[in-house]
Amino acid sequence: MKTKFIFVTGGVLSSLGKGLTAASIGTLLENRGLDITIMKMDPYLNIDPGTMNPFQHGEVFVTEDGAETDLDLGHYERFTNVNLKRENSVTAGQVYETVIAKERRGEYLGGTVQVIPHITDEIKDRIHRVAKGRDVAIVEIGGTVGDIESLPFLEAIRQFRNDVGDENVVFVHLTLLPYLGTSGELKTKPTQHSVQKLREIGIQPDFLLCRTDRALPADIAKKIALFCNVRAENVIGALDVSNIYEVPLKYFEQGLDEKITRRLGLKTRAKGLQKWAKVVETMASPRSGTAEIGLVGKYVDLTESYKSVTEALIHGGIANQCRVLIRYIDSELLEKGDIAAELKGLNGILVPGAFGHRGVEGKIRAIRYAREKQIPYLGICFGLQLALIEFARSVCHLQKATSREFSNTGEFVIDLMEDQRQVQRLGGSMRLGSYLCKLTPGSLAAATYGSTQIHERHRHRYEVNNHYRAPLSKAGLVFSGIDPGLQLVEILEFPKHPWFLACQFHPEFKSKPFSPHPIFAGFVKAALKASLTRTKDSLKRGTPVRRPEGHSHRSWARA
Ligand code: GLN
């Protein structure tokens, strides 16, 4: 069978949820038995987002093979069964780097190297390479139509349709229909203009997915169809939802997959989406209660930076049929003052990955509080390194314990390995991707995984200094996960505690709504237990427990 291509573009403004749309189309096509892949094309000049500040970019998602990629790839993996690789994430930087390197090798035989055809050819080659052998390749083009940066990508996909044939390509365009209170209607002009922009460069969208905060009336859909030269039945509402896992269901209800596959001549039939409906239902009416988790970090003003962690916590809630409330806490605010007041009411504390010294002491204070007050604690990457520093300082009397990352002097319980000392280029040079880890039988880690051998993804430069392992173990810390090849600490736990576990890797990248990651399921279970015990205790004492209002953000904007 010839591979089919679905290109997803976005108009009007950014953050409309293109990534979720691409991921949801993936869900729906897999549900029809198709073998798919999903790619992201980012128009910026960085080679990858690995060197970008989380405030600029949000989370960096790490693939099994160690690529640092856009957070939309996280959605693709959570929503589908695809195993994404380095080549699924393309940036303008990579494309230009390849073309310029070829030019330097003289491969263009004296020709003038230009955006068309050299850059566009390289973009098309990359799409073909990833799509090879698949039934369908979904390609999301980052940025908003009308941006200078995305032009080469749009030009490449315009050519693509001519190269592989009209019957093998579908263009899906996501736009916004703002509701204007003063006139009391959904406005179509921004959508019209964004489609005009696309058509100016030769792309006629086949489908328009219109983000709205209310149902899309048939007459508005008709009007858009007329002005944008799209069939009325292909103008589809993309209604705001409170839960991102509803998105595939909403598109399914409107027959998006049916219409796309028909347009592509794919003879397939959809199975039901009961499994998705069940996830949404479990989240809407959690039977077992609520666990409130404090996420202590320094990027809390942009919670996008913690996308996979947030999702994995929610998956942990699904596993335990409970609601997970996330309180994002700025670690800098914990450096001074009454920590008990700041962390009051939390049933679990999580310190996620981070870089640099800002807010470190606040995180260490939070970890100490969790350890001493017996509050379930999960440390991820930096959260392991700081837990180890805290323990070394408070329990092992190594007051000067620190990491070489944020100090020049002291006892480097967290240090750089030899190979990292040689590193000169910051991009792509951390310990990245999947590594084997062996777990100690009988440990909390082994019980949590139900196994003694696991593979998890890494993204860090610093490691636990093996030199300090003996004194720390003697003081009660257990190193229950070890990389057998590198002999490095992967997991630590503190058994004199209801649930205290930290890992050097990032378990959040492998969690899915249908297979919540065991570490998140275990952590949320412990937090839920703490919450229920607390409720019982206070009932006995007759003091009501304050329940926090609302849920953490669940918008699907860039989502
Ligand atoms: N900054 C730490 C390191 O590089 C931890 C990184 C992380 O948390 N992802 O080792």
Side-chain angles (χ1 to χ4, degrees):
M1 185 167 100
K2 247 187 145 168
T3 303
K4 309 284 181 177
F5 298 86
I6 299 171
F7 294 104
V8 181
T9 54
V12 183
L13 42 85
S14 60
S15 306
L16 287 182
K18 249 190 316 179
L20 272 176
T21 292
S24 300
I25 293 174
T27 307
L28 297 182
L29 296 186
E30 279 191 342
N31 186 49
R32 302 180 80 91
L34 292 163
D35 176 20
I36 64 146
T37 187
I38 316 187
M39 291 179 83
K40 174 84 193 270
M41 304 267 160
D42 274 305
Y44 51 72
L45 289 176
N46 303 62
I47 297 292
D48 61 41
T51 52
M52 282 190 224
N53 184 322
F55 282 121
Q56 287 271 315
H57 184 269
E59 168 186 281
V60 172
F61 184 80
V62 180
T63 56
E64 280 294 287
D65 64 355
E68 298 175 277
T69 71
D70 187 80
L71 58 77
D72 279 326
L73 275 83
H75 293 311
Y76 306 165
E77 282 204 350
R78 283 188 285 274
F79 276 65
T80 68
N81 298 312
V82 291
N83 174 16
L84 300 168
K85 301 224 167 64
R86 180 173 300 276
E87 50 274 22
N88 290 70
S89 172
V90 175
T91 68
Q94 293 168 22
V95 171
Y96 276 86
E97 191 186 43
T98 307
V99 170
I100 291 168
K102 271 193 191 168
E103 185 274 336
R104 290 291 82 185
R105 288 196 299 269
E107 287 182 30
Y108 295 112
L109 305 173
T112 306
V113 181
Q114 293 175 302
V115 171
I116 306 171
H118 301 99
I119 294 294
T120 47
D121 279 355
E122 177 60 27
I123 293 170
K124 290 191 290 179
D125 281 354
R126 284 173 181 249
I127 298 172
H128 279 299
R129 276 206 296 272
V130 173
K132 196 161 184 255
R134 305 281 175 204
D135 296 335
V136 183
I138 300 161
V139 184
E140 179 192 346
I141 310 293
T144 308
V145 168
D147 296 347
I148 292 178
E149 285 87 350
S150 38
L151 272 176
F153 289 98
L154 296 173
E155 167 60 16
I157 65 173
R158 180 195 68 77
Q159 296 171 13
F160 213 96
R161 184 176 239 168
N162 290 337
D163 295 351
V164 303
D166 205 41
E167 67 286 6
N168 298 316
V169 173
V170 156
F171 290 120
V172 175
H173 189 56
L174 181 66
T175 74
L176 175 74
L177 295 184
Y179 179 78
L180 209 62
T182 45
S183 63
E185 53 182 353
L186 287 167
K187 305 303 286 182
T188 64
K189 196 67 80 187
T191 296
Q192 293 180 39
H193 281 164
S194 120
V195 173
Q196 270 170 26
K197 270 268 160 243
L198 264 183
R199 292 171 67 192
E200 247 170 49
I201 44 183
I203 295 175
Q204 169 62 54
D206 303 288
F207 290 86
L208 288 178
L209 309 181
C210 307
R211 263 309 282 281
T212 56
D213 65 351
R214 60 205 65 218
L216 175 64
D219 59 325
I220 299 279
K222 249 187 168 162
K223 180 176 171 188
I224 295 171
L226 179 66
F227 281 91
C228 298
N229 194 28
V230 171
R231 286 166 174 235
E233 72 262 27
N234 291 352
V235 178
I236 288 177
L239 195 66
D240 294 352
V241 287
S242 56
N243 176 350
I244 56 168
Y245 298 115
E246 275 181 60
V247 177
L249 291 167
K250 293 285 172 211
Y251 284 140
F252 185 69
E253 280 165 16
Q254 298 179 81
L256 179 64
D257 52 322
E258 180 72 41
K259 292 172 185 172
I260 289 182
T261 47
R262 205 183 321 131
R263 160 71 178 69
L264 288 170
L266 289 167
K267 292 197 178 52
T268 54
R269 199 174 295 172
K271 293 188 226 101
L273 276 182
Q274 288 85 350
K275 145 171 140 151
W276 285 83
K278 193 147 177 267
V279 160
V280 171
E281 195 188 295
T282 310
M283 288 174 67
S285 40
R287 281 187 271 132
S288 321
T290 301
E292 189 176 9
I293 307 289
L295 190 152
V296 181
K298 64 173 173 177
Y299 313 119
V300 290
D301 288 338
L302 185 73
T303 52
E304 294 270 284
S305 310
Y306 304 114
K307 194 77 228 168
S308 293
V309 174
T310 305
E311 291 308 311
L313 281 171
I314 287 161
H315 305 160
I318 296 173
N320 292 286
Q321 312 257 343
C322 75
R323 182 161 172 244
V324 174
L325 267 175
I326 305 173
R327 202 195 297 170
Y328 296 92
I329 303 166
D330 185 342
S331 50
E332 275 187 299
L333 301 179
L334 299 182
E335 294 195 334
K336 289 188 202 84
D338 183 0
I339 189 115
E342 292 287 344
L343 304 181
K344 194 167 172 226
L346 293 176
N347 311 122
I349 292 176
L350 189 157
V351 174
F355 296 84
H357 72 277
R358 193 165 61 79
V360 157
E361 293 305 324
K363 290 178 192 173
I364 290 179
R365 283 186 83 203
I367 297 169
R368 178 167 191 176
Y369 186 79
R371 189 177 54 75
E372 292 182 343
K373 301 291 176 202
Q374 304 273 295
I375 300 168
Y377 174 73
L378 172 59
I380 297 177
C381 207
F382 208 39
L384 172 141
Q385 299 174 357
L386 298 182
L388 187 119
I389 292 172
E390 188 284 312
F391 192 86
R393 287 183 190 172
S394 318
V395 185
C396 265
H397 311 295
L398 288 167
Q399 269 86 4
K400 292 201 172 123
T402 189
S403 163
R404 202 181 287 275
E405 181 175 3
F406 47 78
S407 180
N408 293 325
T409 56
E411 303 245 19
F412 296 116
V413 292
I414 304 295
D415 207 346
L416 278 182
M417 295 296 99
E418 204 44 49
D419 53 345
Q420 281 291 341
R421 291 190 190 179
Q422 325 296 337
V423 167
Q424 309 244 321
R425 283 158 53 119
L426 290 186
S429 59
M430 281 187 258
R431 183 175 168 210
L432 288 166
S434 186
Y435 283 82
L436 170 68
C437 166
K438 289 219 163 137
L439 308 179
T440 313
S443 62
L444 172 62
T448 303
Y449 276 91
S451 160
T452 52
Q453 198 146 296
I454 57 166
H455 285 89
E456 292 285 4
R457 300 183 196 173
H458 289 248
R459 180 172 184 252
H460 57 103
R461 222 177 273 289
Y462 296 83
E463 306 280 355
V464 171
N465 184 343
N466 283 336
H467 188 68
Y468 291 93
R469 259 162 72 177
L472 289 161
S473 300
K474 215 163 149 207
L477 210 56
V478 170
F479 298 106
S480 54
I482 302 290
D483 180 312
L486 299 166
Q487 281 302 311
L488 292 171
V489 169
E490 297 279 43
I491 304 183
L492 63 79
E493 50 192 80
F494 182 52
K496 287 192 202 139
H497 190 283
W499 207 95
F500 191 104
L501 184 143
C503 43
Q504 186 57 78
F505 49 78
H506 290 270
E508 68 271 25
F509 295 141
K510 284 173 80 165
S511 189
K512 298 191 183 209
F514 307 111
S515 50
H517 193 287
I519 287 190
F520 284 90
F523 174 55
V524 171
K525 187 174 178 189
L528 181 63
K529 195 169 159 203
S531 134
L532 298 176
T533 320
R534 202 168 142 245
T535 313
K536 257 193 235 149
D537 285 355
S538 53
L539 281 178
K540 258 192 243 153
R541 287 199 306 273
T543 41
V545 176
R546 182 187 59 89
R547 272 276 154 253
E549 294 291 317
H551 201 289
S552 54
H553 73 295
R554 296 294 299 151
S555 134
W556 65 321
R558 183 160 165 83

